[in-house]
Amino acid sequence: MASGEIQTEAAQLNPVIEPLSWMLGTWLSDPPGDGTFPSMKPFQYLEEVHISHVGQPMLNFSFNAFHPDTKKPMHRECGFIRIQPDTNKVAFISAQNTGLVEVEEGVVNGQELSIASHSVARISFAKKPHVEQITRKFRLNSEGKLEQTVSMSTTTQPMTQHLHITYKKV
Ligand code: HEM
């Protein structure tokens, strides 16, 4: 490494995050994701996902959604996925452009990660209705595609699916 250069490229995978290594990569929705909720019209969206590491015992992620026709940016979130060493216990920490910050906890079993919100915080002027709980499932399917399903409850609706999306690795 040249003097003064900060090197994070091609860092060796920290063995602690090996159980989550199937999530690593750049992923693009294929086909577009499906959005649903009892209070809204079903919609579709595109999403680009980057899940990376820099040698630390955690993953870094960003999820950036776009309108399928106009390609305008929509929902965005980024954060970290941590795993408790020597266990399958996972924490998912995300900051969203809607003014919401969430911490989810759960477990990784094989190529499936199931998590549920432990706490959800938001800025005081976040749009209503407010989210009360979130659950997510990620899995690598038999075709090598990553899938994410997100359900939520709000101050006006019980726990219901909001998103389902499949991504191919690019
Ligand atoms: C609406 C939460 C991710 C697109 C909403 C609503 C909530 C919410 C609380 C209002 C529901 C209602 O009016 O009853 C979340 C959470 C997310 C998430 C917690 C992530 C964990 C996404 C993503 C997209 C998206 C990835 C993709 C574009 C929409 C749209 C609406 C909506 C189009 C309806 C219009 C609007 O209220 O802006 N979401 N959302 N959401 N969400 Fe999400």
Side-chain angles (χ1 to χ4, degrees):
M1 185 174 22
S3 130
E5 187 185 330
I6 298 174
Q7 188 167 0
T8 54
E9 293 294 318
Q12 277 222 331
L13 187 74
N14 191 301
V16 166
I17 53 167
E18 176 56 41
L20 296 169
S21 58
W22 51 272
M23 300 184 81
L24 284 165
T26 297
W27 305 86
L28 205 57
S29 47
D30 180 33
D34 290 311
T36 49
F37 210 58
S39 50
M40 67 181 69
K41 246 179 52 194
F43 64 93
Q44 292 205 311
Y45 66 103
L46 308 177
E47 196 165 49
E48 198 177 300
V49 175
H50 295 283
I51 304 178
S52 61
H53 74 92
V54 292
Q56 294 180 320
M58 69 203 63
L59 299 179
N60 310 314
F61 71 78
S62 65
F63 288 82
N64 295 317
F66 299 87
H67 191 278
D69 304 325
T70 64
K71 310 287 190 287
K72 271 188 149 177
M74 295 177 72
H75 186 270
R76 299 169 80 82
E77 60 180 308
C78 59
F80 302 94
I81 308 175
R82 298 175 55 89
I83 184 162
Q84 190 179 40
D86 305 320
T87 73
N88 66 345
K89 192 171 172 184
V90 172
F92 178 98
I93 302 128
S94 173
Q96 305 186 15
N97 64 343
T98 50
L100 188 143
V101 176
E102 56 159 320
V103 177
E104 296 186 44
E105 288 187 5
V107 288
V108 58
N109 281 313
Q111 295 177 331
E112 185 167 301
L113 171 62
S114 301
I115 46 180
S117 58
H118 181 262
S119 64
V120 179
R122 66 187 70 81
I123 53 173
S124 59
F125 52 93
K127 202 170 151 190
K128 287 185 176 161
H130 290 159
V131 183
E132 292 199 316
Q133 269 199 308
I134 303 169
T135 66
R136 303 192 196 223
K137 189 170 281 187
F138 294 93
R139 75 182 188 107
L140 195 68
N141 70 20
S142 54
E143 295 164 36
K145 287 183 165 182
L146 185 66
E147 281 181 42
Q148 180 180 201
T149 309
V150 178
S151 298
M152 64 181 178
S153 63
T154 66
T155 43
T156 57
Q157 298 292 339
M159 185 57 84
T160 314
Q161 186 169 308
H162 182 35
L163 310 163
H164 179 260
I165 188 162
T166 304
Y167 313 93
K168 69 162 189 253
K169 202 167 209 168
V170 292

